[in-house]
Amino acid sequence: MTRIIANRRAFIKTTAAGAAMLAAPTIFRSTPARAAGVVNVWTYANFLPPEFKEEFQKETGIQIQERLVDDQGKQFNLLTAEQPNPTVDIVTVAGHRFLQFIDAGLLAPIDTARLKNWGNINPVFSESDWAIIKDQKWGTPILSGAEVLAYNTEAVTPEEAKSWDAMFDKKYEGQTAYIIQDMMSVMMLYKGYDGNMVKYMNDPAKAAEIVKEVRDFMIANKSMVRKFYDSGAEIQQMFVNQDVVLAHAWNGPISKLIMDGMPVAMTIPKEGSYGFVYTFNIPKNAPNADNAYTLLDALLARPEIGANMTRTSGFISTIKGAGDHLNDLEKKASSFSEEELAGLQFFRAEANDMKYKLVDPAVEEIKAA
């Protein structure tokens, strides 16, 4: 117990620091955006391991100027505001958000011929349907994740966590948390619908009916929720403080808790969930595109780098063989059983325009209820 308490105290300190960084993204600019020895990267906290950055800068002479982001929408808005002359060379876009960035003319296609280490990516990620739009590839897959059911192992049993039903069990009233918009997609799946809403692209009335059903269900069960949260650091802190015992979350932040020795586990319930892939992308008119390709190729060079990215971010590396360089606890924190994976679907973007025109107002109605 003493070890766990010490870990919790230490984690509170590190998580608070991480939360502050996410709340106030920083940018280090000692040189102009366009410079021979610079690559400007917008990415999430811990996606670029410190050891990799130090090694890359020493070997290439290229300085990594990193700006932390915490939201896809904010990143889209910032990149849009900077067009046609962005200050960034690499952005971090989730695969299911590609269309939004591509249709807005914000990204350049990835020239895989310039990446001699492209073959080191697991083809499950590099050659998937979602990765190809308009017959071109638009990103370099770096980390994959899933929306999971996370639970305190001292309060919730693995058997209970096999179903999303646990989130609505009255004995856990006031002890659950989730991001509303993300939870809505999973709840569509929970109720037997297509959470991507691709099936309803030609039936907008059916789509509206489904969103209304899920909205009403979440409002009816609003007493179960301790807090609607926004960031990974926030849900980590709630588990550390024991404010919640169950949560719908991204696997990355939960993996970090498990690696820290916290009494937390995660699963993909029997009703299923959604997975996503983070990619590094080169914006249209990137000021230092050559340096961006140099950085991307370096990231793909060795499985040890992928393992370190998993270790620092909590998400699963896309690089072949990365798992061989993780210890047993790290593997446990970044893998799922075949049974769990069978219920995992990738987010798709085809119906996003219709979907979010319905979902976004529903989110506000749930908050206001």
Side-chain angles (χ1 to χ4, degrees):
M1 180 60 70
T2 301
R3 182 182 67 83
I4 293 294
I5 291 173
N7 278 347
R8 285 176 178 160
R9 288 172 178 164
F11 193 83
I12 289 170
K13 293 178 181 178
T14 58
T15 303
M21 292 175 73
L22 286 171
T26 56
I27 189 165
F28 304 97
R29 287 212 182 281
S30 56
T31 55
R34 185 181 296 276
V38 169
V39 59
N40 306 288
V41 183
W42 294 354
T43 192
Y44 291 85
N46 303 314
F47 273 28
L48 286 177
E51 296 86 351
F52 168 79
K53 289 190 288 187
E54 182 179 352
E55 178 182 332
F56 176 82
Q57 292 177 148
K58 181 178 180 181
E59 291 186 1
T60 67
I62 298 172
Q63 179 187 1
I64 298 174
Q65 297 188 145
E66 187 176 9
R67 177 172 186 155
L68 297 180
V69 297
D70 64 352
D71 180 84
Q72 295 277 289
K74 293 175 186 176
Q75 187 174 207
F76 174 84
N77 292 337
L78 183 57
L79 192 55
T80 299
E82 289 194 345
Q83 283 297 317
N85 298 304
T87 62
V88 62
D89 304 300
I90 294 175
V91 294
T92 308
V93 181
H96 59 284
R97 297 292 293 267
F98 274 179
L99 274 177
Q100 180 185 19
F101 285 76
I102 294 167
D103 288 346
L106 301 180
L107 300 181
I110 289 290
D111 183 358
T112 59
R114 298 184 65 179
L115 298 172
K116 68 179 186 296
N117 295 313
W118 179 265
N120 291 342
I121 305 173
N122 188 322
V124 168
F125 304 109
S126 62
E127 308 304 322
S128 293
D129 290 345
W130 62 262
I132 302 172
I133 297 175
K134 300 179 181 178
D135 299 321
Q136 298 189 87
K137 293 179 180 175
W138 298 86
T140 301
I142 53 163
L143 293 164
S144 68
E147 307 214 341
V148 300
L149 177 59
Y151 60 100
N152 183 319
T153 56
E154 295 174 348
V156 181
T157 68
E159 189 63 29
E160 289 176 296
K162 285 184 177 181
S163 172
W164 288 108
D165 288 340
M167 291 285 288
F168 311 105
D169 189 323
K170 286 297 183 181
K171 70 179 177 181
Y172 299 124
E173 188 167 17
Q175 300 177 78
T176 74
Y178 54 77
I179 298 173
I180 302 177
Q181 188 181 82
D182 292 351
M183 186 66 161
M184 287 198 77
S185 295
V186 172
M187 287 298 95
M188 292 179 204
L189 193 61
Y190 170 73
K191 289 181 167 292
Y193 302 120
D194 174 14
N196 283 316
M197 307 208 85
V198 175
K199 289 183 179 179
Y200 319 117
M201 289 180 68
N202 296 320
D203 192 354
K206 179 65 173 178
E209 179 184 318
I210 291 169
V211 171
K212 181 179 183 299
E213 179 183 341
V214 171
R215 179 203 65 188
D216 292 348
F217 174 78
M218 293 172 71
I219 290 174
N221 287 278
K222 194 171 178 179
S223 65
M224 297 297 305
V225 184
R226 174 66 176 262
K227 186 177 182 181
F228 300 131
Y229 70 94
D230 294 312
S231 72
E234 195 174 0
I235 191 59
Q236 286 174 328
Q237 196 66 58
M238 282 192 280
F239 271 113
V240 169
N241 293 344
Q242 300 185 348
D243 293 329
V244 298
V245 298
L246 283 159
H248 162 278
W250 307 324
N251 67 305
I254 304 306
S255 292
K256 293 294 289 180
L257 289 175
I258 296 171
M259 290 181 195
D260 196 63
M262 298 293 294
V264 177
M266 62 181 175
T267 186
I268 298 169
K270 63 183 181 182
E271 297 90 355
S273 189
Y274 286 101
F276 52 91
V277 179
Y278 283 116
T279 66
F280 275 166
N281 317 75
I282 298 178
K284 187 176 181 180
N285 300 325
N288 307 287
D290 289 344
N291 293 346
Y293 275 102
T294 300
L295 176 59
L296 293 179
D297 209 37
L299 275 173
L300 304 177
R302 303 191 310 276
E304 299 96 310
I305 297 172
N308 205 10
M309 292 177 75
T310 291
R311 196 172 289 118
T312 57
S313 72
F315 290 103
I316 302 168
S317 173
T318 61
I319 299 176
K320 291 183 287 189
D324 297 338
H325 298 273
L326 299 173
N327 62 37
D328 289 344
L329 180 59
E330 290 165 346
K331 289 177 181 177
K332 177 184 176 184
S334 60
S335 62
F336 300 99
S337 70
E338 290 299 320
E339 181 182 4
E340 289 172 311
L341 290 174
L344 188 65
Q345 303 179 33
F346 279 113
F347 276 118
R348 294 173 59 182
E350 295 95 317
N352 275 4
D353 186 55
M354 176 189 72
K355 175 180 175 178
Y356 289 110
K357 283 180 180 177
L358 296 169
V359 167
D360 288 348
V363 168
E364 296 307 314
E365 289 163 358
I366 293 168
K367 289 179 180 177

